[in-house]
Amino acid sequence: MTAPRADLLIVGGGVTGITAAWTAARRAPGSRIVLVDRGEPGAGITAYSAALIVPYAPDAAHRALMSAASELFAAAPLAGFQRTVPMVFVVPEHTAADVTGRFLGGPLTTADGHRLAALRAAYPGLRTRAGETVLDAGDRCTVLDVPGWIATVLGGALPGVPAPEVLTRTTVTRVRRDGEGWAAETAGGPVLRTRRVLLATGPWAAPGVVSTPGAPPAPPHATTAKLVAALHLRPGSVTDRPGTPGIVFLDDDLFVLPGQVPLVSFAARRVLGEGEAPAAGLPDDERAEGLRVLARRLPSLVGEVTGGRCFPDAYAPGRLPVTGRAAGAPGLAWITGGSGSGVRFAPALAERAVRLLDAPPRPRDGAGAHHPLALPGATP
């Protein structure tokens, strides 16, 4: 990259980074925004997401984030990239009131006879336990057309919002202060100069940051990566007719999403080491775990499993995604800890990160001190 210096460099071309590019361009249409990805935008872990948006929040911090995301999803242009998916939630009766209170839009209702009949028709052999009830989320859940959204943003097809410049197959190895801005060094490539930097690298290690000349590169945040896994079912094994509900077993961390290729999402167990990338496909031990959990609830579907997939994601404490910036380092912010929910929180995370980039710098507490400011709930 040569002059002019970019106004914003976004490192990471997943759905969160791309949504941040849209957010920044919408706020300042004349700015120069450059998106850098080590592969192709939208072709990493974003490509494997079920993209299910459930307006559920287990605590106040998640609720604030989900409320902000829901407002953006309900408005143009994001509203035009979603389809409604009826969903039901199987929960213990004694937790039903608490669970319904965690949904945005008011409490859920107990599934009526019509919904239960549709459920039994779609999932023969469905097993519920004594003392469980089925809650109906109606039309509150949606699936985001992630490829369509990405293509629209990167194609500059949104009125008044120019597309970012995109650099593919470019790995940023280090980000250092460069006068009043930043310089991003790349592996075997050019130095990218920019006024501001947003790191949205997902589970992959973020580039080291040098905020003080002569200091060693430091990671901007800690990242714990673990697998997100799903089983694929034979097409037609779960009817794809309109109105067919998806089903969530909340205590099992298990859900089934109807579609052309029905999907069974379950809680993978493997935590990844630093820099570790999972092999293609679904590891045998994780596949066995998925089949075990599925057999407990929907045994008739075990024989319909045709394969599966897994991908890494960054996890934060409490599964609460985080935006943050470094004290004394104006113009640099990050997003991390998607925790398997990056798609449903992406618009809110993008808004928070862009606001952090625009906020006045926080002073350091003592010479040479480096204190990250992590913001799961609110920006300063």
Side-chain angles (χ1 to χ4, degrees), residues 203-204 223-227 270-278 311-313:
W204 315 117
T223 299
T224 297
K226 69 179 291 291
L227 287 186
R270 185 175 303 182
V271 175
L272 301 176
E274 185 176 353
E276 180 184 356
F311 56 93
D313 202 2

Side-chain angles (χ1 to χ4, degrees), residues 107-130:
L108 305 187
T109 59
T110 302
D112 60 18
H114 176 75
R115 180 67 86 198
L116 290 174
L119 196 63
R120 298 292 180 185
Y123 304 100
L126 167 65
R127 289 179 179 173
T128 57
R129 299 170 184 145

Side-chain angles (χ1 to χ4, degrees), residues 37 49 53 72 109 139 174 189 200 217 227 268 275 309 311 318 362 378:
D37 193 83
S49 172
I53 301 168
L72 291 162
T109 59
D139 61 357
R174 186 169 73 157
L227 287 186
R309 65 185 188 233
F311 56 93
R362 297 175 68 245

Side-chain angles (χ1 to χ4, degrees), residues 18 60 202 314 318:
I18 290 169

Side-chain angles (χ1 to χ4, degrees), residues 13-184:
V15 65
T16 304
I18 290 169
T19 303
W22 165 73
T23 300
R26 186 179 58 159
R27 291 166 65 99
S31 58
R32 181 172 180 235
I33 299 170
V34 179
L35 181 80
V36 180
D37 193 83
R38 68 181 202 163
E40 298 289 335
I45 64 173
T46 288
Y48 296 99
S49 172
L52 178 64
I53 301 168
V54 179
Y56 175 82
D59 53 44
H62 279 90
R63 191 174 191 87
L65 192 60
M66 192 70 250
S67 294
S70 293
E71 288 183 10
L72 291 162
F73 278 127
L78 277 163
F81 290 86
Q82 297 167 75
R83 63 179 176 88
T84 299
V85 180
M87 298 292 293
V88 300
F89 292 76
V90 178
V91 302
E93 288 180 357
H94 71 274
T95 68
D98 185 45
V99 169
T100 63
R102 296 175 178 179
F103 274 82
L104 276 62
L108 305 187
T109 59
T110 302
D112 60 18
H114 176 75
R115 180 67 86 198
L116 290 174
L119 196 63
R120 298 292 180 185
Y123 304 100
L126 167 65
R127 289 179 179 173
T128 57
R129 299 170 184 145
E132 286 186 326
T133 190
V134 180
L135 303 175
D136 192 348
D139 61 357
R140 298 191 204 183
C141 303
T142 62
V143 171
L144 180 68
D145 175 11
V146 173
W149 170 244
I150 289 175
T152 299
V153 173
L154 297 187
L158 296 171
V161 183
E165 299 175 34
V166 178
L167 296 177
T168 62
R169 304 189 182 282
T170 301
T171 300
V172 175
T173 57
R174 186 169 73 157
V175 178
R176 56 178 168 80
R177 287 295 282 168
D178 180 42
E180 294 299 312
W182 295 88

Side-chain angles (χ1 to χ4, degrees), residues 235-291:
S237 57
V238 177
T239 178
D240 194 24
R241 290 194 300 267
T244 299
I247 184 169
V248 179
F249 301 94
L250 208 56
D251 281 2
D252 299 83
D253 209 355
L254 172 76
F255 73 79
V256 182
L257 189 63
Q260 186 175 2
V261 178
L263 192 70
V264 179
S265 176
F266 64 96
R269 298 174 295 179
R270 185 175 303 182
V271 175
L272 301 176
E274 185 176 353
E276 180 184 356
L282 187 63
D284 289 343
D285 59 335
E286 297 294 354
R287 178 187 171 98
E289 173 64 10
L291 292 173

Side-chain angles (χ1 to χ4, degrees), residues 58-59 62 65 226 228 250 253 265-268 314-322 336-341 344-345:
D59 53 44
H62 279 90
L65 192 60
K226 69 179 291 291
V228 179
L250 208 56
D253 209 355
S265 176
F266 64 96
Y315 274 69
R319 297 175 67 164
L320 179 64
V322 176
T336 190
S339 304
S341 297
R344 72 185 184 113
F345 290 130

